[in-house]
Amino acid sequence: MLKIEVNKVKETLGASASRISAKIFHNDEDARFLEFVMHNYEKELPERSMKLIYFKRDQERDFAILSLFLGSGIRVNELSKLRL
């Protein structure tokens, strides 16, 4: 049997907080992200690509999902189980 070693990195609470803080939205970054998704993301996609077609089709739904996630604090697991 093959064993895979797992080496957990020990870090202080302060170091953990700093690492996490660098990966989350602060101040109005969530609003700016939603603004980007609604108005500018489409411009980043190549013309006549399937990504652009799917983005246009699902834009309102995706915006609603992101808004709910960022605005409510709902967990991803809870969000994924929502039904209309």
Side-chain angles (χ1 to χ4, degrees):
M1 179 183 283
L2 181 64
K3 289 188 177 183
I4 299 173
E5 272 190 48
V6 176
N7 296 322
K8 289 188 177 182
V9 176
K10 294 182 182 181
E11 61 184 351
T12 65
L13 289 176
S16 177
S18 294
R19 183 177 47 79
I20 292 169
S21 180
K23 297 179 181 181
I24 61 174
F25 288 138
H26 296 278
N27 301 321
D28 67 341
E29 289 177 332
D30 55 343
R32 289 187 304 164
F33 173 71
L34 290 172
E35 183 74 20
F36 171 77
V37 170
M38 198 63 177
H39 301 289
N40 298 323
Y41 180 67
E42 182 178 340
K43 298 170 190 169
E44 303 288 324
L45 297 172
E47 288 186 38
R48 298 189 189 117
S49 72
M50 292 304 290
K51 289 180 183 180
L52 181 59
I53 292 168
Y54 291 134
F55 173 75
K56 286 183 177 183
R57 181 191 72 187
D58 300 332
Q59 183 177 11
E60 288 184 30
R61 180 206 65 184
D62 294 349
F63 183 78
I65 290 169
L66 289 169
S67 296
L68 178 62
F69 180 68
L70 293 171
S72 70
I74 192 172
R75 289 178 264 179
V76 173
N77 184 33
E78 296 167 332
L79 182 63
S80 69
K81 292 181 180 180
L82 288 179
R83 299 289 177 254
L84 289 177

